[in-house]
Amino acid sequence: MAQVKVTKAIGKVEMATRLVAFDTTSRNSNLALIEFIRDYLDDYGVKSELVRDPTMPKANLYATIGAQDRGGILLSGHTDVVPVDDQDWHSDPFALVEKDDRLYGRGSADMKGFIATVLSLVPVLVQRKLREPIHLSFSYDEEIGCVGVRTLIAELVKRPNKPRLAIVGEPTEMQVGVGHKGKRSMRCHVHGHEAHSSLTHKGVNAVETAAELVAHLKKMARKKRTDGPFDPAFDPPYTTIHTGIIAGGTAVNIVPRECRFDFEMRYLPEDDPSAIADEVKRYAATLMPEMQAVSEDAGIAFEETNGVPALSAKESDEVVRLALALSGANGTGKVSFATEGGLYQQAGIPTVICGPGSIEQAHKPDEFIELDQVRQCEMFIDRLIERVKR
Ligand SMILES: [Zn+2]
């Protein structure tokens, strides 16, 4: 057992203040925050493992409190936050303000309030001899597509003491989220053939081809909306497809050679994103003969830029029953946003989403978390400790 230093406990609001003060917008390094957490845990004799990004100064932190030789319950959160650029804040987003029983600051709800609550209970966690360990996972780059946690999960699945269950503390107002949609983002490159705009028949117009593809995606999206599949627990209750970015062409008097667009699907757990991708690829193939009749170089290429699998836990799963018992919630729900939970589930770790604060306040100016939510989260973890102590 490592030497435990006598340190002054840091309360949850004080801890949230410290965490919010680190500007961990996804474009920045999160190492200062991670090192702060590592040092804090170290003060209580808890060893952290830093799983670093291979190219950027970023890391996931993973720590186990209690028995080291078996699986246990994972409490998971991300350390990065979305940008405050062009948002109209009434206070400094990185200086937590306590006002009207709320804590205001970037990340207060999503999701430093959760991490702060967990960390403030570490002194209690280490005092109790935990029969079943509690693992902590604090990741990076979640907001840009659950990027960071993947390397950590790849490590964990190899271990005999990988977490048995996971609770992702994304803001659900402490309700138990048993499902979310999956997300897949794709980029399409249309390579056409340049020509003088008076000679359109000698060119392959990449912008027009892209427009046909985008219109086809829109048609597919309409079909999902009218024909389903449907799951009324989601808003909206069907798979959505949308194009978010398009760029192409150089001048109105040049037949454009290049066009590129990004589209995204948010799919129900029962829907198949590959089938959607295949459908648009099949349509693209029908456009090819006309293009290649003009230029053999012309073509359409697709690449997957990001994907997060859907989460779908069953009411009968142990992790669902556990989260219901700990939260006191009387039912489960599904959330509209994608989380790392889909990746944990895919790695064979049954997962639910349950955390303080509301997604309504996340990503917005004057983001806040109700202090009552923080207290409820504290009670949730207290009850968890009661369950897993010897
Ligand atoms: Zn989040």
Side-chain angles (χ1 to χ4, degrees):
M1 190 66 180
Q3 185 70 39
V4 179
K5 284 184 234 161
V6 181
T7 35
K8 195 172 159 286
I10 301 179
K12 49 194 186 300
V13 175
E14 165 71 13
M15 183 58 85
T17 305
R18 303 236 191 142
L19 298 185
V20 166
F22 294 99
D23 177 359
T24 52
T25 308
S26 310
R27 62 181 171 237
N28 299 337
S29 166
N30 74 335
L31 283 183
L33 177 143
I34 287 290
E35 283 162 6
F36 165 75
I37 297 176
R38 180 196 61 196
D39 294 348
Y40 170 81
L41 291 174
D42 200 50
D43 283 348
Y44 290 96
V46 178
K47 287 279 157 271
S48 302
E49 186 180 343
L50 268 48
V51 180
R52 292 174 191 272
D53 186 274
T55 57
M56 283 173 297
K58 298 184 178 191
N60 304 293
L61 182 147
Y62 185 74
T64 299
I65 303 174
Q68 303 285 318
D69 60 341
R70 67 199 74 171
I73 293 158
L74 174 70
L75 299 177
S76 166
H78 60 81
T79 61
D80 59 321
V81 295
V82 295
V84 296
D85 309 352
D86 301 321
Q87 290 190 339
D88 188 16
W89 282 73
H90 290 89
S91 57
D92 178 351
F94 300 105
L96 197 77
V97 174
E98 184 175 349
K99 196 176 158 225
D100 306 328
D101 285 322
R102 292 171 170 176
L103 302 175
Y104 288 87
R106 170 54 84 225
S108 54
D110 185 15
M111 51 189 301
K112 289 177 173 173
F114 170 75
I115 297 176
T117 309
V118 172
L119 290 177
S120 72
L121 289 167
V122 165
V124 183
L125 280 163
V126 295
Q127 267 172 26
R128 311 287 160 83
K129 301 281 174 250
L130 303 184
R131 165 176 50 82
E132 185 167 22
I134 295 200
H135 310 279
L136 309 180
S137 155
F138 303 133
S139 66
Y140 65 92
D141 282 359
E142 189 272 353
E143 295 288 4
I144 54 172
C146 300
V147 175
V149 80
R150 293 167 202 259
T151 48
L152 172 62
I153 291 177
E155 258 310 301
L156 293 183
V157 292
K158 296 183 215 156
R159 300 181 182 177
N161 62 344
K162 80 164 181 184
R164 206 166 60 74
L165 308 171
I167 296 165
V168 175
E170 287 278 355
T172 62
E173 297 181 278
M174 297 312 294
Q175 299 299 306
V176 179
V178 295
H180 60 65
K181 288 182 181 176
K183 182 176 97 164
R184 185 176 291 186
S185 319
M186 297 189 67
R187 177 162 296 168
C188 176
H189 298 268
V190 180
H191 183 71
H193 187 74
E194 231 164 33
H196 190 281
S197 62
S198 64
L199 303 169
T200 54
H201 64 293
K202 291 195 170 166
V204 178
N205 190 316
V207 168
E208 289 175 1
T209 304
E212 289 187 279
L213 288 160
V214 171
H216 188 78
L217 284 164
K218 177 70 187 175
K219 211 163 94 184
M220 289 165 61
R222 278 200 194 96
K223 196 161 179 295
K224 289 287 179 195
R225 185 175 182 162
T226 53
D227 300 358
F230 299 106
D231 181 343
F234 288 110
D235 177 24
Y238 46 84
T239 295
T240 58
I241 306 165
H242 109 124
T243 303
I245 307 177
I246 188 162
T250 45
V252 75
N253 59 358
I254 302 171
V255 174
R257 191 184 61 208
E258 304 294 339
C259 190
R260 184 203 92 191
F261 65 94
D262 288 11
F263 62 103
E264 181 195 83
M265 345 163 182
R266 302 261 179 167
Y267 56 94
L268 298 182
E270 73 234 55
D271 218 338
D272 178 9
S274 298
I276 298 171
D278 287 348
E279 186 181 338
V280 68
K281 285 177 190 169
R282 274 197 303 275
Y283 177 73
T286 68
L287 304 175
M288 291 288 283
E290 189 188 0
M291 297 167 74
Q292 295 203 318
V294 180
S295 166
E296 278 184 4
D297 289 344
I300 302 168
F302 292 88
E303 62 172 313
E304 190 178 323
T305 49
N306 189 260
V308 179
L311 174 72
S312 176
K314 288 190 289 296
E315 300 283 327
S316 57
D317 287 351
E318 184 190 347
V319 69
V320 177
R321 286 183 285 118
L322 174 72
L324 282 172
L326 299 178
S327 66
N330 38 24
T332 60
K334 293 180 183 176
V335 299
S336 53
F337 49 95
T339 75
E340 296 172 343
L343 291 162
Y344 284 119
Q345 178 186 266
Q346 192 180 52
I349 304 170
T351 302
V352 290
I353 314 300
C354 185
S358 166
I359 200 69
E360 283 295 315
Q361 277 92 49
H363 298 201
K364 288 190 184 160
D366 297 333
E367 176 179 348
F368 68 84
I369 188 166
E370 303 273 359
L371 271 169
D372 182 57
Q373 285 290 310
V374 178
R375 286 190 282 265
Q376 283 189 43
C377 179
E378 192 172 29
M379 279 169 2
F380 181 98
I381 300 167
D382 278 339
R383 292 189 197 112
L384 174 63
I385 296 170
E386 287 306 307
R387 285 205 165 219
V388 298
K389 75 177 187 192
R390 272 189 228 276

PDB file of all heavy atoms in Angstrom, residues 181 220-234 236-241 266-273 275-276:
ATOM      1  N   LYS A 181     -28.471   6.694 -29.965  1.00  0.00           N
ATOM      2  CA  LYS A 181     -28.256   6.380 -31.373  1.00  0.00           C
ATOM      3  C   LYS A 181     -26.766   6.229 -31.657  1.00  0.00           C
ATOM      4  O   LYS A 181     -25.935   6.764 -30.934  1.00  0.00           O
ATOM      5  CB  LYS A 181     -28.821   7.504 -32.253  1.00  0.00           C
ATOM      6  CG  LYS A 181     -30.336   7.548 -32.286  1.00  0.00           C
ATOM      7  CD  LYS A 181     -30.812   8.650 -33.225  1.00  0.00           C
ATOM      8  CE  LYS A 181     -32.332   8.722 -33.249  1.00  0.00           C
ATOM      9  NZ  LYS A 181     -32.806   9.845 -34.088  1.00  0.00           N
ATOM     10  N   MET A 220     -33.114   9.566 -49.158  1.00  0.00           N
ATOM     11  CA  MET A 220     -32.979   8.452 -48.217  1.00  0.00           C
ATOM     12  C   MET A 220     -33.429   8.871 -46.810  1.00  0.00           C
ATOM     13  O   MET A 220     -34.085   8.105 -46.095  1.00  0.00           O
ATOM     14  CB  MET A 220     -31.523   7.967 -48.170  1.00  0.00           C
ATOM     15  CG  MET A 220     -31.083   7.231 -49.428  1.00  0.00           C
ATOM     16  SD  MET A 220     -29.274   7.059 -49.526  1.00  0.00           S
ATOM     17  CE  MET A 220     -28.913   6.107 -48.064  1.00  0.00           C
ATOM     18  N   ALA A 221     -33.075  10.098 -46.438  1.00  0.00           N
ATOM     19  CA  ALA A 221     -33.456  10.604 -45.114  1.00  0.00           C
ATOM     20  C   ALA A 221     -34.966  10.702 -44.995  1.00  0.00           C
ATOM     21  O   ALA A 221     -35.556  10.348 -43.966  1.00  0.00           O
ATOM     22  CB  ALA A 221     -32.819  11.974 -44.880  1.00  0.00           C
ATOM     23  N   ARG A 222     -35.614  11.174 -46.073  1.00  0.00           N
ATOM     24  CA  ARG A 222     -37.084  11.275 -46.057  1.00  0.00           C
ATOM     25  C   ARG A 222     -37.712   9.902 -45.874  1.00  0.00           C
ATOM     26  O   ARG A 222     -38.705   9.747 -45.176  1.00  0.00           O
ATOM     27  CB  ARG A 222     -37.582  11.876 -47.370  1.00  0.00           C
ATOM     28  CG  ARG A 222     -37.505  13.358 -47.416  1.00  0.00           C
ATOM     29  CD  ARG A 222     -38.448  13.922 -48.497  1.00  0.00           C
ATOM     30  NE  ARG A 222     -38.101  15.307 -48.736  1.00  0.00           N
ATOM     31  CZ  ARG A 222     -37.304  15.718 -49.715  1.00  0.00           C
ATOM     32  NH1 ARG A 222     -36.784  14.860 -50.567  1.00  0.00           N
ATOM     33  NH2 ARG A 222     -37.033  17.004 -49.836  1.00  0.00           N
ATOM     34  N   LYS A 223     -37.115   8.902 -46.548  1.00  0.00           N
ATOM     35  CA  LYS A 223     -37.661   7.547 -46.478  1.00  0.00           C
ATOM     36  C   LYS A 223     -37.548   6.997 -45.045  1.00  0.00           C
ATOM     37  O   LYS A 223     -38.462   6.348 -44.552  1.00  0.00           O
ATOM     38  CB  LYS A 223     -36.902   6.646 -47.465  1.00  0.00           C
ATOM     39  CG  LYS A 223     -37.586   5.359 -47.770  1.00  0.00           C
ATOM     40  CD  LYS A 223     -37.029   4.762 -49.069  1.00  0.00           C
ATOM     41  CE  LYS A 223     -37.701   3.438 -49.398  1.00  0.00           C
ATOM     42  NZ  LYS A 223     -37.418   2.402 -48.398  1.00  0.00           N
ATOM     43  N   LYS A 224     -36.435   7.286 -44.383  1.00  0.00           N
ATOM     44  CA  LYS A 224     -36.286   6.861 -42.979  1.00  0.00           C
ATOM     45  C   LYS A 224     -37.370   7.510 -42.131  1.00  0.00           C
ATOM     46  O   LYS A 224     -37.920   6.910 -41.231  1.00  0.00           O
ATOM     47  CB  LYS A 224     -34.901   7.270 -42.442  1.00  0.00           C
ATOM     48  CG  LYS A 224     -33.752   6.481 -43.018  1.00  0.00           C
ATOM     49  CD  LYS A 224     -33.720   5.070 -42.462  1.00  0.00           C
ATOM     50  CE  LYS A 224     -32.590   4.258 -43.058  1.00  0.00           C
ATOM     51  NZ  LYS A 224     -32.747   2.814 -42.806  1.00  0.00           N
ATOM     52  N   ARG A 225     -37.654   8.769 -42.455  1.00  0.00           N
ATOM     53  CA  ARG A 225     -38.627   9.511 -41.665  1.00  0.00           C
ATOM     54  C   ARG A 225     -40.041   8.967 -41.846  1.00  0.00           C
ATOM     55  O   ARG A 225     -40.837   8.954 -40.902  1.00  0.00           O
ATOM     56  CB  ARG A 225     -38.571  10.985 -42.084  1.00  0.00           C
ATOM     57  CG  ARG A 225     -39.433  11.872 -41.254  1.00  0.00           C
ATOM     58  CD  ARG A 225     -39.245  13.323 -41.639  1.00  0.00           C
ATOM     59  NE  ARG A 225     -40.061  14.154 -40.772  1.00  0.00           N
ATOM     60  CZ  ARG A 225     -39.882  15.450 -40.601  1.00  0.00           C
ATOM     61  NH1 ARG A 225     -38.906  16.068 -41.231  1.00  0.00           N
ATOM     62  NH2 ARG A 225     -40.664  16.138 -39.798  1.00  0.00           N
ATOM     63  N   THR A 226     -40.359   8.560 -43.078  1.00  0.00           N
ATOM     64  CA  THR A 226     -41.726   8.091 -43.325  1.00  0.00           C
ATOM     65  C   THR A 226     -41.879   6.585 -43.098  1.00  0.00           C
ATOM     66  O   THR A 226     -42.912   6.128 -42.625  1.00  0.00           O
ATOM     67  CB  THR A 226     -42.169   8.408 -44.774  1.00  0.00           C
ATOM     68  OG1 THR A 226     -41.180   7.877 -45.671  1.00  0.00           O
ATOM     69  CG2 THR A 226     -42.296   9.900 -44.993  1.00  0.00           C
ATOM     70  N   ASP A 227     -40.834   5.816 -43.429  1.00  0.00           N
ATOM     71  CA  ASP A 227     -40.979   4.353 -43.381  1.00  0.00           C
ATOM     72  C   ASP A 227     -40.298   3.694 -42.189  1.00  0.00           C
ATOM     73  O   ASP A 227     -40.449   2.496 -41.976  1.00  0.00           O
ATOM     74  CB  ASP A 227     -40.399   3.722 -44.665  1.00  0.00           C
ATOM     75  CG  ASP A 227     -41.109   4.211 -45.923  1.00  0.00           C
ATOM     76  OD1 ASP A 227     -42.066   5.009 -45.779  1.00  0.00           O
ATOM     77  OD2 ASP A 227     -40.710   3.817 -47.023  1.00  0.00           O
ATOM     78  N   GLY A 228     -39.520   4.448 -41.440  1.00  0.00           N
ATOM     79  CA  GLY A 228     -38.840   3.873 -40.285  1.00  0.00           C
ATOM     80  C   GLY A 228     -37.608   3.085 -40.660  1.00  0.00           C
ATOM     81  O   GLY A 228     -37.107   3.244 -41.772  1.00  0.00           O
ATOM     82  N   PRO A 229     -37.097   2.215 -39.776  1.00  0.00           N
ATOM     83  CA  PRO A 229     -37.673   1.802 -38.481  1.00  0.00           C
ATOM     84  C   PRO A 229     -37.845   2.960 -37.477  1.00  0.00           C
ATOM     85  O   PRO A 229     -37.187   3.983 -37.601  1.00  0.00           O
ATOM     86  CB  PRO A 229     -36.641   0.783 -37.959  1.00  0.00           C
ATOM     87  CG  PRO A 229     -35.354   1.131 -38.651  1.00  0.00           C
ATOM     88  CD  PRO A 229     -35.747   1.660 -39.993  1.00  0.00           C
ATOM     89  N   PHE A 230     -38.743   2.718 -36.526  1.00  0.00           N
ATOM     90  CA  PHE A 230     -39.044   3.734 -35.512  1.00  0.00           C
ATOM     91  C   PHE A 230     -38.785   3.210 -34.106  1.00  0.00           C
ATOM     92  O   PHE A 230     -38.993   2.023 -33.841  1.00  0.00           O
ATOM     93  CB  PHE A 230     -40.521   4.153 -35.600  1.00  0.00           C
ATOM     94  CG  PHE A 230     -40.897   4.767 -36.914  1.00  0.00           C
ATOM     95  CD1 PHE A 230     -41.649   4.053 -37.835  1.00  0.00           C
ATOM     96  CD2 PHE A 230     -40.502   6.058 -37.229  1.00  0.00           C
ATOM     97  CE1 PHE A 230     -42.003   4.612 -39.056  1.00  0.00           C
ATOM     98  CE2 PHE A 230     -40.852   6.628 -38.449  1.00  0.00           C
ATOM     99  CZ  PHE A 230     -41.600   5.910 -39.365  1.00  0.00           C
ATOM    100  N   ASP A 231     -38.332   4.110 -33.237  1.00  0.00           N
ATOM    101  CA  ASP A 231     -38.252   3.823 -31.811  1.00  0.00           C
ATOM    102  C   ASP A 231     -38.704   5.085 -31.093  1.00  0.00           C
ATOM    103  O   ASP A 231     -37.979   6.084 -31.058  1.00  0.00           O
ATOM    104  CB  ASP A 231     -36.818   3.455 -31.410  1.00  0.00           C
ATOM    105  CG  ASP A 231     -36.706   3.130 -29.925  1.00  0.00           C
ATOM    106  OD1 ASP A 231     -37.614   3.487 -29.155  1.00  0.00           O
ATOM    107  OD2 ASP A 231     -35.681   2.526 -29.534  1.00  0.00           O
ATOM    108  N   PRO A 232     -39.925   5.069 -30.535  1.00  0.00           N
ATOM    109  CA  PRO A 232     -40.491   6.287 -29.952  1.00  0.00           C
ATOM    110  C   PRO A 232     -39.707   6.826 -28.754  1.00  0.00           C
ATOM    111  O   PRO A 232     -39.928   7.963 -28.331  1.00  0.00           O
ATOM    112  CB  PRO A 232     -41.905   5.861 -29.526  1.00  0.00           C
ATOM    113  CG  PRO A 232     -41.863   4.370 -29.459  1.00  0.00           C
ATOM    114  CD  PRO A 232     -40.823   3.916 -30.433  1.00  0.00           C
ATOM    115  N   ALA A 233     -38.755   6.027 -28.222  1.00  0.00           N
ATOM    116  CA  ALA A 233     -37.959   6.521 -27.091  1.00  0.00           C
ATOM    117  C   ALA A 233     -36.925   7.562 -27.547  1.00  0.00           C
ATOM    118  O   ALA A 233     -36.329   8.245 -26.726  1.00  0.00           O
ATOM    119  CB  ALA A 233     -37.259   5.361 -26.394  1.00  0.00           C
ATOM    120  N   PHE A 234     -36.724   7.669 -28.862  1.00  0.00           N
ATOM    121  CA  PHE A 234     -35.758   8.648 -29.365  1.00  0.00           C
ATOM    122  C   PHE A 234     -36.465   9.852 -29.976  1.00  0.00           C
ATOM    123  O   PHE A 234     -37.567   9.731 -30.514  1.00  0.00           O
ATOM    124  CB  PHE A 234     -34.870   8.022 -30.450  1.00  0.00           C
ATOM    125  CG  PHE A 234     -33.869   7.033 -29.921  1.00  0.00           C
ATOM    126  CD1 PHE A 234     -33.999   5.683 -30.188  1.00  0.00           C
ATOM    127  CD2 PHE A 234     -32.796   7.459 -29.149  1.00  0.00           C
ATOM    128  CE1 PHE A 234     -33.077   4.768 -29.707  1.00  0.00           C
ATOM    129  CE2 PHE A 234     -31.866   6.556 -28.662  1.00  0.00           C
ATOM    130  CZ  PHE A 234     -32.010   5.208 -28.944  1.00  0.00           C
ATOM    131  N   PRO A 236     -35.528  12.597 -32.886  1.00  0.00           N
ATOM    132  CA  PRO A 236     -36.723  12.012 -33.494  1.00  0.00           C
ATOM    133  C   PRO A 236     -36.648  10.482 -33.474  1.00  0.00           C
ATOM    134  O   PRO A 236     -35.560   9.928 -33.316  1.00  0.00           O
ATOM    135  CB  PRO A 236     -36.669  12.547 -34.930  1.00  0.00           C
ATOM    136  CG  PRO A 236     -35.215  12.725 -35.219  1.00  0.00           C
ATOM    137  CD  PRO A 236     -34.593  13.137 -33.909  1.00  0.00           C
ATOM    138  N   PRO A 237     -37.789   9.828 -33.647  1.00  0.00           N
ATOM    139  CA  PRO A 237     -37.843   8.371 -33.447  1.00  0.00           C
ATOM    140  C   PRO A 237     -37.324   7.539 -34.619  1.00  0.00           C
ATOM    141  O   PRO A 237     -37.643   6.353 -34.708  1.00  0.00           O
ATOM    142  CB  PRO A 237     -39.346   8.114 -33.225  1.00  0.00           C
ATOM    143  CG  PRO A 237     -40.013   9.202 -33.962  1.00  0.00           C
ATOM    144  CD  PRO A 237     -39.119  10.415 -33.859  1.00  0.00           C
ATOM    145  N   TYR A 238     -36.551   8.130 -35.489  1.00  0.00           N
ATOM    146  CA  TYR A 238     -36.047   7.406 -36.664  1.00  0.00           C
ATOM    147  C   TYR A 238     -34.585   7.778 -36.915  1.00  0.00           C
ATOM    148  O   TYR A 238     -34.063   8.727 -36.322  1.00  0.00           O
ATOM    149  CB  TYR A 238     -36.894   7.736 -37.903  1.00  0.00           C
ATOM    150  CG  TYR A 238     -37.173   9.213 -38.051  1.00  0.00           C
ATOM    151  CD1 TYR A 238     -36.254  10.055 -38.664  1.00  0.00           C
ATOM    152  CD2 TYR A 238     -38.352   9.780 -37.531  1.00  0.00           C
ATOM    153  CE1 TYR A 238     -36.491  11.414 -38.771  1.00  0.00           C
ATOM    154  CE2 TYR A 238     -38.586  11.152 -37.625  1.00  0.00           C
ATOM    155  CZ  TYR A 238     -37.656  11.951 -38.249  1.00  0.00           C
ATOM    156  OH  TYR A 238     -37.871  13.301 -38.334  1.00  0.00           O
ATOM    157  N   THR A 239     -33.941   7.041 -37.785  1.00  0.00           N
ATOM    158  CA  THR A 239     -32.564   7.324 -38.194  1.00  0.00           C
ATOM    159  C   THR A 239     -32.540   8.588 -39.044  1.00  0.00           C
ATOM    160  O   THR A 239     -33.377   8.754 -39.935  1.00  0.00           O
ATOM    161  CB  THR A 239     -32.028   6.143 -39.021  1.00  0.00           C
ATOM    162  OG1 THR A 239     -31.966   4.996 -38.165  1.00  0.00           O
ATOM    163  CG2 THR A 239     -30.650   6.424 -39.593  1.00  0.00           C
ATOM    164  N   THR A 240     -31.593   9.476 -38.749  1.00  0.00           N
ATOM    165  CA  THR A 240     -31.484  10.691 -39.564  1.00  0.00           C
ATOM    166  C   THR A 240     -30.204  10.658 -40.402  1.00  0.00           C
ATOM    167  O   THR A 240     -29.205  10.052 -40.011  1.00  0.00           O
ATOM    168  CB  THR A 240     -31.466  11.961 -38.678  1.00  0.00           C
ATOM    169  OG1 THR A 240     -30.368  11.878 -37.766  1.00  0.00           O
ATOM    170  CG2 THR A 240     -32.758  12.123 -37.910  1.00  0.00           C
ATOM    171  N   ILE A 241     -30.278  11.309 -41.545  1.00  0.00           N
ATOM    172  CA  ILE A 241     -29.118  11.450 -42.436  1.00  0.00           C
ATOM    173  C   ILE A 241     -29.073  12.920 -42.839  1.00  0.00           C
ATOM    174  O   ILE A 241     -30.122  13.486 -43.165  1.00  0.00           O
ATOM    175  CB  ILE A 241     -29.271  10.590 -43.714  1.00  0.00           C
ATOM    176  CG1 ILE A 241     -29.561   9.130 -43.353  1.00  0.00           C
ATOM    177  CG2 ILE A 241     -28.033  10.703 -44.610  1.00  0.00           C
ATOM    178  CD1 ILE A 241     -30.070   8.293 -44.531  1.00  0.00           C
ATOM    179  N   ARG A 266     -27.269   9.437 -37.945  1.00  0.00           N
ATOM    180  CA  ARG A 266     -27.504   9.149 -36.524  1.00  0.00           C
ATOM    181  C   ARG A 266     -28.547   8.052 -36.519  1.00  0.00           C
ATOM    182  O   ARG A 266     -29.719   8.296 -36.807  1.00  0.00           O
ATOM    183  CB  ARG A 266     -28.030  10.394 -35.815  1.00  0.00           C
ATOM    184  CG  ARG A 266     -27.092  11.600 -35.922  1.00  0.00           C
ATOM    185  CD  ARG A 266     -26.275  11.741 -34.680  1.00  0.00           C
ATOM    186  NE  ARG A 266     -25.357  12.872 -34.762  1.00  0.00           N
ATOM    187  CZ  ARG A 266     -24.722  13.356 -33.707  1.00  0.00           C
ATOM    188  NH1 ARG A 266     -24.920  12.849 -32.519  1.00  0.00           N
ATOM    189  NH2 ARG A 266     -23.877  14.345 -33.847  1.00  0.00           N
ATOM    190  N   TYR A 267     -28.098   6.855 -36.249  1.00  0.00           N
ATOM    191  CA  TYR A 267     -28.972   5.710 -36.506  1.00  0.00           C
ATOM    192  C   TYR A 267     -29.469   5.020 -35.235  1.00  0.00           C
ATOM    193  O   TYR A 267     -28.793   5.000 -34.205  1.00  0.00           O
ATOM    194  CB  TYR A 267     -28.262   4.699 -37.415  1.00  0.00           C
ATOM    195  CG  TYR A 267     -26.931   4.206 -36.900  1.00  0.00           C
ATOM    196  CD1 TYR A 267     -26.842   3.031 -36.149  1.00  0.00           C
ATOM    197  CD2 TYR A 267     -25.762   4.919 -37.157  1.00  0.00           C
ATOM    198  CE1 TYR A 267     -25.623   2.577 -35.672  1.00  0.00           C
ATOM    199  CE2 TYR A 267     -24.541   4.468 -36.682  1.00  0.00           C
ATOM    200  CZ  TYR A 267     -24.476   3.301 -35.937  1.00  0.00           C
ATOM    201  OH  TYR A 267     -23.277   2.853 -35.450  1.00  0.00           O
ATOM    202  N   LEU A 268     -30.669   4.474 -35.336  1.00  0.00           N
ATOM    203  CA  LEU A 268     -31.242   3.689 -34.241  1.00  0.00           C
ATOM    204  C   LEU A 268     -30.367   2.460 -34.015  1.00  0.00           C
ATOM    205  O   LEU A 268     -29.765   1.940 -34.967  1.00  0.00           O
ATOM    206  CB  LEU A 268     -32.658   3.214 -34.603  1.00  0.00           C
ATOM    207  CG  LEU A 268     -33.728   4.267 -34.853  1.00  0.00           C
ATOM    208  CD1 LEU A 268     -35.059   3.587 -35.158  1.00  0.00           C
ATOM    209  CD2 LEU A 268     -33.872   5.210 -33.672  1.00  0.00           C
ATOM    210  N   PRO A 269     -30.320   1.960 -32.759  1.00  0.00           N
ATOM    211  CA  PRO A 269     -29.500   0.771 -32.499  1.00  0.00           C
ATOM    212  C   PRO A 269     -29.821  -0.399 -33.436  1.00  0.00           C
ATOM    213  O   PRO A 269     -28.937  -1.162 -33.800  1.00  0.00           O
ATOM    214  CB  PRO A 269     -29.848   0.424 -31.044  1.00  0.00           C
ATOM    215  CG  PRO A 269     -30.207   1.731 -30.425  1.00  0.00           C
ATOM    216  CD  PRO A 269     -30.890   2.521 -31.523  1.00  0.00           C
ATOM    217  N   GLU A 270     -31.084  -0.493 -33.871  1.00  0.00           N
ATOM    218  CA  GLU A 270     -31.433  -1.637 -34.729  1.00  0.00           C
ATOM    219  C   GLU A 270     -31.145  -1.379 -36.209  1.00  0.00           C
ATOM    220  O   GLU A 270     -31.288  -2.278 -37.023  1.00  0.00           O
ATOM    221  CB  GLU A 270     -32.915  -1.978 -34.552  1.00  0.00           C
ATOM    222  CG  GLU A 270     -33.856  -0.977 -35.204  1.00  0.00           C
ATOM    223  CD  GLU A 270     -34.896  -0.434 -34.241  1.00  0.00           C
ATOM    224  OE1 GLU A 270     -34.495   0.101 -33.173  1.00  0.00           O
ATOM    225  OE2 GLU A 270     -36.083  -0.553 -34.543  1.00  0.00           O
ATOM    226  N   ASP A 271     -30.774  -0.156 -36.542  1.00  0.00           N
ATOM    227  CA  ASP A 271     -30.521   0.160 -37.949  1.00  0.00           C
ATOM    228  C   ASP A 271     -29.058  -0.132 -38.291  1.00  0.00           C
ATOM    229  O   ASP A 271     -28.212  -0.214 -37.405  1.00  0.00           O
ATOM    230  CB  ASP A 271     -30.845   1.640 -38.218  1.00  0.00           C
ATOM    231  CG  ASP A 271     -31.494   1.840 -39.575  1.00  0.00           C
ATOM    232  OD1 ASP A 271     -31.330   0.971 -40.448  1.00  0.00           O
ATOM    233  OD2 ASP A 271     -32.152   2.879 -39.764  1.00  0.00           O
ATOM    234  N   ASP A 272     -28.780  -0.258 -39.591  1.00  0.00           N
ATOM    235  CA  ASP A 272     -27.435  -0.652 -40.012  1.00  0.00           C
ATOM    236  C   ASP A 272     -26.783   0.469 -40.827  1.00  0.00           C
ATOM    237  O   ASP A 272     -27.174   0.723 -41.968  1.00  0.00           O
ATOM    238  CB  ASP A 272     -27.535  -1.946 -40.839  1.00  0.00           C
ATOM    239  CG  ASP A 272     -26.169  -2.384 -41.354  1.00  0.00           C
ATOM    240  OD1 ASP A 272     -25.146  -1.799 -40.944  1.00  0.00           O
ATOM    241  OD2 ASP A 272     -26.138  -3.327 -42.170  1.00  0.00           O
ATOM    242  N   PRO A 273     -25.785   1.151 -40.249  1.00  0.00           N
ATOM    243  CA  PRO A 273     -25.171   2.277 -40.959  1.00  0.00           C
ATOM    244  C   PRO A 273     -24.457   1.843 -42.244  1.00  0.00           C
ATOM    245  O   PRO A 273     -24.393   2.617 -43.202  1.00  0.00           O
ATOM    246  CB  PRO A 273     -24.179   2.841 -39.937  1.00  0.00           C
ATOM    247  CG  PRO A 273     -23.883   1.716 -39.005  1.00  0.00           C
ATOM    248  CD  PRO A 273     -25.140   0.893 -38.942  1.00  0.00           C
ATOM    249  N   ALA A 275     -25.456  -0.418 -44.314  1.00  0.00           N
ATOM    250  CA  ALA A 275     -26.467  -0.544 -45.365  1.00  0.00           C
ATOM    251  C   ALA A 275     -26.788   0.825 -45.962  1.00  0.00           C
ATOM    252  O   ALA A 275     -26.987   0.954 -47.171  1.00  0.00           O
ATOM    253  CB  ALA A 275     -27.732  -1.188 -44.794  1.00  0.00           C
ATOM    254  N   ILE A 276     -26.796   1.853 -45.115  1.00  0.00           N
ATOM    255  CA  ILE A 276     -27.057   3.222 -45.601  1.00  0.00           C
ATOM    256  C   ILE A 276     -25.899   3.671 -46.487  1.00  0.00           C
ATOM    257  O   ILE A 276     -26.098   4.199 -47.585  1.00  0.00           O
ATOM    258  CB  ILE A 276     -27.246   4.188 -44.402  1.00  0.00           C
ATOM    259  CG1 ILE A 276     -28.465   3.766 -43.575  1.00  0.00           C
ATOM    260  CG2 ILE A 276     -27.385   5.625 -44.895  1.00  0.00           C
ATOM    261  CD1 ILE A 276     -28.601   4.516 -42.251  1.00  0.00           C
TER     262      ILE A 276
END
